[in-house]
Amino acid sequence: EAGVVQSPRYKIIEKKQPVAFWCNPISGHNTLYWYLQNLGQGPELLIRYENEEAVDDSQLPKDRFSAERLKGVDSTLKIQPAELGDSAVYLCASSLGRPGDIQYFGAGTRLSVL
Amino acid sequence: AQSVTQLDSQVPVFEEAPVELRCNYSSSVSVYLFWYVQYPNQGLQLLLKYLSGSTLVKGINGFEAEFNKSQTSFHLRKPSVHISDTAEYFCAVSEVDSNYQLIWGAGTKLIIKP
């Protein structure tokens, strides 16, 4: 069974440019999460979807970040425009969405903003 | 959970020696507890979890953890480490009646010395 797939693995852009990350969750997982992970820190939740609905986006910087999960499967996270401080690893995870369920993570996208 | 503390940012240990990675949390309600491992340039993978029942939980790769409610701790242990255990280990906590949000510790790098 395929795990959570993220692309690209690495992305280097100049500041003020747009960037997009893509995530394909495990089949049947209705809950999808986007996290940001800075070096030496734990993941920080950006947004959580249940099917196609964003049920927790309180930590998403909405002035420059946006996300969508059309049809409740794949998801895209976009930054426009990117800033130097956005350099980090962006992780996608999925789960069945029940209390105590395991979150399964993709390998992440490492973003470098120059 | 209000916060998760992993006091040790790095733990160096000789190969075949025992290791304990500490995790403390603050919460006034019942919690679910998780340990995840992150190998270099990979996503996070579940080691073990505590939902209820026996306070001693066994996970993959010979790791185990013990939930101590009075001390609000969930320390991770392994009796004999191998070079392949070199990774970063994250403790995460979710309050039982929360919106499934995981609160993450900052991580502990386990460094195995030959």
Side-chain angles (χ1 to χ4, degrees), chain A residues 1-32:
Chain A
E1 179 183 332
V4 177
V5 179
Q6 290 188 248
S7 68
R9 285 295 315 274
Y10 305 92
K11 190 73 177 178
I12 302 173
I13 61 171
E14 298 200 344
K15 63 180 181 181
K16 300 186 181 180
Q17 293 298 305
V19 64
F21 314 124
W22 175 80
C23 173
N24 182 250
I26 291 174
S27 177
H29 283 190
N30 61 318
T31 303
L32 183 146

Side-chain angles (χ1 to χ4, degrees), chain A residues 9-10 31 33 35 37 39-45 48 50 55-56 59 89 91 97-108 110, chain B residues 6 9 32 34 36 38 40-46 49-51 88 90 94-107 109:
Chain A
R9 285 295 315 274
Y10 305 92
T31 303
Y33 312 78
Y35 288 93
Q37 186 179 23
L39 192 64
Q41 297 182 26
E44 301 169 30
L45 182 69
R48 175 170 68 92
E50 286 183 12
V55 295
D56 183 358
Q59 301 303 312
V89 176
L91 296 168
R98 300 166 304 192
D101 272 345
I102 300 167
Q103 293 185 22
Y104 294 86
F105 285 80
R110 183 177 297 276
Chain B
Q6 293 181 246
S9 60
Y32 298 132
F34 304 81
Y36 280 81
Q38 188 173 33
N41 296 316
Q42 294 187 30
L44 292 106
Q45 175 185 354
L46 183 78
K49 66 176 182 179
Y50 171 81
L51 301 184
E88 191 152 20
F90 291 91
S94 172
E95 292 182 335
V96 170
D97 294 325
S98 75
N99 58 358
Y100 312 156
Q101 185 174 356
L102 281 178
I103 306 298
W104 295 82
K109 283 187 181 176

Side-chain angles (χ1 to χ4, degrees), chain A residues 13-95:
Chain A
I13 61 171
E14 298 200 344
K15 63 180 181 181
K16 300 186 181 180
Q17 293 298 305
V19 64
F21 314 124
W22 175 80
C23 173
N24 182 250
I26 291 174
S27 177
H29 283 190
N30 61 318
T31 303
L32 183 146
Y33 312 78
W34 281 104
Y35 288 93
L36 177 152
Q37 186 179 23
N38 286 306
L39 192 64
Q41 297 182 26
E44 301 169 30
L45 182 69
L46 289 172
I47 189 168
R48 175 170 68 92
Y49 282 93
E50 286 183 12
N51 299 305
E52 65 274 9
E53 182 182 358
V55 295
D56 183 358
D57 63 356
S58 57
Q59 301 303 312
L60 190 73
K62 297 181 185 64
D63 57 336
R64 297 184 300 107
F65 285 66
S66 64
E68 61 182 12
R69 192 184 183 197
L70 301 175
K71 300 181 182 178
V73 182
D74 295 6
S75 178
T76 303
L77 178 68
K78 297 178 182 177
I79 309 175
Q80 182 171 10
E83 297 179 352
L84 295 176
D86 296 331
S87 295
V89 176
Y90 292 82
L91 296 168
C92 178
S94 71
S95 77

Side-chain angles (χ1 to χ4, degrees), chain B residues 53-69:
Chain B
S54 173
T55 57
L56 183 63
V57 181
K58 294 189 183 297
I60 62 171
N61 301 339
F63 284 92
E64 64 180 29
E66 186 155 20
F67 170 50
N68 187 317
K69 187 175 182 180

